[in-house]
């Protein structure tokens, strides 16, 4: 069964570059980003992962635990394999683990997912923008519009009445449509 937003992220124990971790314990009360790669040394992966290659080609090395997952336990648990994948028959030519990104909240629930094909590198600016958005939404009970960036105006959810919005946002807000109200959270 495929994972969906607000499902509890499956827990696992795995050996990592930082030692053995229990994923839920490792998350603790923090946010986590779990992302997958095909086997190492694909050209696109070199721009995204593999510590020494990243440091050499991108100027920074990863500073988070990296799971080898040679048996595909985590990849299967999180459904990160293409439909055509045949575990046990993987070669560099058909190594088709998709580039999946899971954003997991302190409550261990999946808050967002992004899925990229093997041929496309991830957009880290978008990953960070999305993480900022879901963290702000969780903290402030707001929504973020298309192309939102930290510091931009946010949307007041329709579940908040105008009277409640006036109390919550005494600095005022702008009504664009009866269902679309924006507010600045800047101090």
């Amino acid at each position: 069964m495929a994972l969906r937003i607000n499902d509890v992220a499956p827990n696992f124990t795995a050996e990592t570059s930082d030692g053995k971790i229990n994923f839920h314990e490792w998350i603790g009360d923090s946010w986590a980003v779990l992302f997958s790669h095909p086997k190492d040394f694909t050209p696109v992966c070199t721009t995204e992962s593999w510590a020494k290659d990243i440091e050499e080609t991108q100027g920074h090395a990863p500073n988070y635990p990296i799971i080898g997952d040679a048996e595909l336990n985590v990849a299967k648990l999180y459904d990160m394999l293409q439909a055509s994948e045949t575990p046990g028959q993987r070669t560099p030519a058909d190594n088709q683990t998709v580039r999946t990104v899971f954003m997991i909240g302190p409550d261990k629930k999946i808050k967002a997912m992004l899925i990229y094909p093997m041929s496309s590198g991830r957009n880290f600016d978008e990953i960070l923008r999305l993480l900022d958005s879901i963290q702000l939404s969780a903290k402030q009970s707001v929504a973020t519009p298309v192309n939102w960036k930290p510091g931009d105006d946010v949307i007041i959810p329709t579940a908040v009445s105008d009277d409640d919005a006036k109390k919550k946002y005494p600095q005022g807000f702008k009504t664009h449509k009866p269902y679309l109200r924006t507010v600045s959270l800047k101090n």
Side-chain angles (χ1 to χ4, degrees):
M1 186 160 125
L3 294 172
R4 294 183 280 183
I5 291 175
N6 285 328
D7 281 349
V8 173
N11 193 21
F12 59 86
T13 301
E15 288 296 331
T16 77
S17 56
D18 289 353
K20 191 172 194 171
I21 66 165
N22 172 290
F23 189 54
H24 282 191
E25 289 176 11
W26 180 80
I27 293 172
D29 292 331
S30 299
W31 288 77
V33 177
L34 176 68
F35 57 97
S36 64
H37 282 278
K39 273 184 159 177
D40 59 347
F41 306 117
T42 65
V44 175
C45 280
T46 302
T47 67
E48 292 183 346
S49 194
W50 314 118
K52 291 179 183 176
D53 287 356
I54 282 186
E55 187 169 19
E56 180 183 329
T57 64
Q58 307 303 308
H60 302 282
N63 61 356
Y64 46 80
I66 298 173
I67 302 167
D69 200 26
E71 301 299 316
L72 305 178
N73 295 325
V74 177
K76 291 175 190 174
L77 187 63
Y78 277 78
D79 198 24
M80 294 189 238
L81 301 174
Q82 290 195 139
S84 61
E85 178 63 36
T86 307
Q89 299 179 12
R90 297 164 58 96
T91 68
D94 67 359
N95 185 25
Q96 298 291 311
T97 306
V98 294
R99 289 182 169 82
T100 308
V101 179
F102 293 91
M103 296 183 185
I104 301 164
D107 60 358
K108 314 305 183 278
K109 290 186 178 179
I110 298 170
K111 303 300 181 186
M113 298 180 290
L114 298 167
I115 302 172
Y116 293 77
M118 188 173 152
S119 60
S120 299
R122 286 176 267 238
N123 182 329
F124 281 167
D125 290 334
E126 172 57 13
I127 291 169
L128 293 174
R129 188 201 73 82
L130 178 57
L131 184 59
D132 286 338
S133 171
I134 60 176
Q135 287 178 332
L136 177 66
S137 295
K139 183 178 178 183
Q140 298 284 335
S141 298
V142 296
T144 58
V146 66
N147 298 325
W148 173 88
K149 290 189 169 73
D152 289 353
D153 288 358
V154 296
I155 297 170
I156 301 169
T158 55
V160 177
S161 70
D162 278 345
D163 288 339
D164 287 342
K166 288 174 187 172
K167 292 174 192 167
K168 187 171 181 176
Y169 307 108
Q171 74 274 28
F173 56 88
K174 184 174 182 179
T175 301
H176 304 271
K177 296 279 187 182
Y179 57 87
L180 179 59
R181 299 163 297 166
T182 59
V183 65
S184 172
L185 297 180
K186 297 176 189 173
N187 291 332

